[in-house]
Amino acid sequence: MTRTAERPMDSTVDEAETAKFAAMAEEWWDPDGKFAPLHKFNPVRLEFLRDRICARFGRDGQGNRPLEGLALADIGCGGGLLSEPMARLGATVTGIDAVEKNVRTAATHAEAVGVTIDYRCDTVEAMAARGETYDVVLNMEVVEHVADVALFLESSAALVKPGGMMFVATLNRTLKAFGLAIIGAEYIMGWLPRGTHDWNKFVRPSELAAPLRRAGLEMAEIAGVAYNPLKDKWSLAPRDLDVNYMAMAVRDR
């Protein structure tokens, strides 16, 4: 089931960015399609999320459903590539996206595989205005596509319960990132459609930390993620933040 919420006047939704993803919405679950890089990226993301969530909440990460009883919001959920595995790990998942086609694709796939997720075409600002709160909030590969990064992060932080946590994954605004993530990935290798990313919208780690701190969250960990072309595999590279990186922020209890 999907729901659509009215967007507030101060929405951080970037209409040009949502149009890009609406055009590709039907390809989310094709591992060889336009989202192939995310399919390859997913294992390292999932391991990072599972291990940090379990450590924070005292869960056994090797258990069958270690996230049982935790409420999780997946902001910018796309077709549900993270929402579904989080639900399988036991979390009660709410997935939101500003692109209605993405939400329909996600909901259709979840129903087909028998996974229960509350999918909505919604905005994080609207969720915050309604006073919704969650144990875990995911912002994975989203902030580089929004209209106002600071407002988006502050609104997302408002969703985090006391004792809860938020994850952010994005691209650093460096020359190396321009060369690899745009020139390499989009123009040379063709891993992503040209124009998927705008280097000017990439986000430096300091630009994450400041608005999160204002909203009462503290950065607890930041780790780079690097691609090995010989192994065709992504892995954590804690000291290499030059291109892709993931961050974890927490709210004190």
Side-chain angles (χ1 to χ4, degrees):
M1 177 177 140
T2 64
R3 289 183 277 167
T4 302
E6 186 175 335
R7 292 179 185 171
M9 293 296 292
D10 58 349
S11 172
T12 62
V13 174
D14 185 321
E15 298 294 347
E17 292 290 320
T18 59
K20 293 177 190 177
F21 287 93
M24 302 185 287
E26 295 181 359
E27 298 197 40
W28 276 104
W29 287 96
D30 180 358
D32 299 314
K34 292 177 181 177
F35 294 102
L38 272 184
H39 284 266
K40 293 180 180 179
F41 196 33
N42 233 19
V44 70
R45 296 196 301 175
L46 290 169
E47 183 177 359
F48 184 85
L49 295 172
R50 182 201 63 198
D51 291 352
R52 274 69 180 171
I53 295 170
C54 288
R56 178 75 173 171
F57 292 99
R59 307 298 182 87
D60 177 6
Q62 302 306 312
N64 186 36
R65 290 172 61 84
L67 307 188
E68 194 83 55
L70 296 178
L72 181 148
D74 185 7
I75 310 301
C77 63
L81 299 187
L82 281 176
S83 294
E84 283 194 19
M86 290 292 104
R88 288 193 180 93
L89 288 172
T92 300
V93 177
T94 298
I96 76 152
D97 201 284
V99 179
E100 189 171 356
K101 287 184 177 179
N102 285 347
V103 175
R104 287 202 301 267
T105 296
T108 298
H109 192 273
E111 183 177 2
V113 297
V115 177
T116 301
I117 297 170
D118 178 14
Y119 280 120
R120 313 174 192 168
C121 185
D122 206 347
T123 68
V124 69
E125 298 83 23
M127 295 171 76
R130 292 193 296 268
E132 297 184 30
T133 56
Y134 299 84
D135 299 296
V136 181
V137 175
L138 305 185
N139 281 306
M140 310 298 280
E141 290 77 43
V142 181
V143 294
E144 69 270 22
H145 299 291
V146 303
D148 185 328
V149 171
L151 176 59
F152 177 80
L153 289 171
E154 290 171 10
S155 300
S156 298
L159 304 181
V160 180
K161 292 180 180 180
M165 61 202 307
M166 184 165 83
F167 294 89
V168 182
T170 189
L171 289 145
N172 201 347
R173 195 166 65 256
T174 63
L175 289 177
K176 183 177 177 181
F178 181 81
L180 294 179
I182 295 182
I183 301 301
E186 296 183 15
Y187 288 83
I188 297 176
M189 303 301 294
W191 289 344
L192 296 166
R194 294 183 179 186
T196 297
H197 289 113
D198 177 351
W199 181 81
N200 293 298
K201 294 171 75 69
F202 288 5
V203 183
R204 296 189 177 112
S206 60
E207 295 167 344
L208 291 182
L212 292 179
R213 192 176 302 112
R214 287 195 298 269
L217 299 187
E218 287 296 328
M219 197 76 78
E221 182 180 358
I222 184 166
V225 188
Y227 176 71
N228 185 327
L230 297 178
K231 295 182 178 180
D232 190 24
K233 182 179 179 182
W234 290 89
S235 61
L236 282 182
R239 295 183 179 86
D240 183 2
L241 308 180
D242 289 346
V243 186
N244 295 83
Y245 66 93
M246 297 188 289
M248 178 182 76
V250 298
R251 186 183 298 283
D252 289 338
R253 298 181 183 277

